[in-house]
Amino acid sequence: MKAFFSLLVISLITISAVLFMPTFPLAAWKYERKLNIPNLILSIVISSSFWAIAIYASIISSDLKLPFILYISTMGFSIVLQINLMVYAKPKVQFTVLSMIIALTFYLTFIFKDVTSGLIGNTLRSYGSGGGVCVTITDTLESYDLKGRLILASPDYIYFKSNGFTSITAVKVDSRTIYKTGNEECSEDT
């Protein structure tokens, strides 16, 4: 889970830096009174290209909706703003803005709870550790065979919804527990 969240944070910081790249030369200009025109133009071109790709992807994809784009954009801008302040601003300003960003993050998480859960679910699904992927759970003795949709695989428990049920079942993980994910294990009605 630590690797999963670390990769998620690194990805969000990288995407944010690319989408809001022009803020870096503008922050240097505001705080140091140095404007590097070639860097600003290059950052605008790169950022505009990625914005165009993001907008195109949202148009052709049924998964990317306006709330998702607003949520990610706001979070991304907050990250880039804090990075710029860490480089140029005084500690008092950094702390004040960081406090506001934390409050904004909690507020947005509750306002866009469907977007947040969808984002986490998609990430878990891509790693095969949750998010509704099809799962078969058994043990080395094959004394049981459970099938359903994986909610979350943690080090201690595997949480899943059995086929045809709405409640979540937890299976304690021990050295004999085996779980396999993949679409071939799932029935169509789940």
Side-chain angles (χ1 to χ4, degrees), residues 5 8-9 12-13 16 67 70-82 96-117 119-120:
F5 283 112
L8 184 65
V9 168
L12 188 59
I13 290 171
S16 302
L70 286 173
Y71 178 76
I72 296 297
S73 299
T74 305
M75 297 298 289
F77 183 75
S78 300
I79 290 169
V80 170
L81 176 65
Q82 187 61 34
T96 303
V97 174
L98 181 61
S99 300
M100 293 186 321
I101 288 173
I102 290 171
L104 177 68
T105 300
F106 283 116
Y107 178 73
L108 289 176
T109 300
F110 288 114
I111 294 298
F112 296 114
K113 57 184 170 260
D114 293 336
V115 173
T116 306
S117 65
L119 182 63
I120 292 171

Side-chain angles (χ1 to χ4, degrees), residues 11-25:
S11 299
L12 188 59
I13 290 171
T14 304
I15 291 168
S16 302
V18 171
L19 290 176
F20 296 102
M21 193 179 285
T23 61
F24 295 111

Side-chain angles (χ1 to χ4, degrees), residues 120-138:
I120 292 171
N122 286 339
T123 308
L124 287 171
R125 195 175 306 115
S126 68
Y127 285 103
S129 60
V133 296
C134 300
V135 66
T136 300
I137 305 167
T138 188

